[in-house]
Amino acid sequence: GIADSVTVLAKTAADADVAATLIANAISVSSPAILRKPAYELAPESDLKDRLVTVAVGLLTEDEICRALAAGSSLAARMHNDGQIAAVYARLQGRSFMIGR
């Protein structure tokens, strides 16, 4: 993902950690401003192998930011509605969303 930050409140720290990781990974978009490399290039012993890992995020367009946050917000809303999380706050390049209290 490309989020600057994702904070989740949940029943346990482990639940919050998993949810924050999933939501952060959902906050993504295809853009020439984002540099991704296969994990093995960064850490040859990684079990992620050829999975792309975000290395750098340049300045995104307003549309790219909105689409990326919408993707994360959609997942976060489902998790909140299902009772998996109590609240989430996520931020990307000066824009953010919050769900729950």
Side-chain angles (χ1 to χ4, degrees):
I2 59 171
D4 295 328
S5 67
V6 175
T7 302
V8 172
L9 297 177
K11 291 179 183 175
T12 68
D15 289 345
D17 182 49
V18 168
T21 299
L22 292 172
I23 294 165
N25 285 336
I27 298 174
S28 190
V29 67
S30 293
S31 170
I34 301 170
L35 175 61
R36 294 182 169 106
K37 292 186 175 187
Y40 70 82
E41 287 185 17
L42 304 171
E45 69 285 351
S46 173
D47 61 349
L48 296 177
K49 302 186 191 223
D50 57 351
R51 186 172 188 157
L52 294 179
V53 176
T54 302
V55 176
V57 180
L59 190 60
L60 299 170
T61 67
E62 286 294 318
D63 180 63
E64 290 169 334
I65 294 168
C66 288
R67 285 187 290 126
L69 287 175
S73 177
S74 176
L75 174 60
R78 287 193 308 272
M79 295 175 90
H80 180 262
N81 292 339
D82 289 346
Q84 297 171 8
I85 62 173
V88 59
Y89 173 82
R91 188 166 180 82
L92 173 62
Q93 294 191 357
R95 305 291 187 271
S96 61
F97 71 81
M98 185 168 69
I99 296 171
R101 297 176 147 206

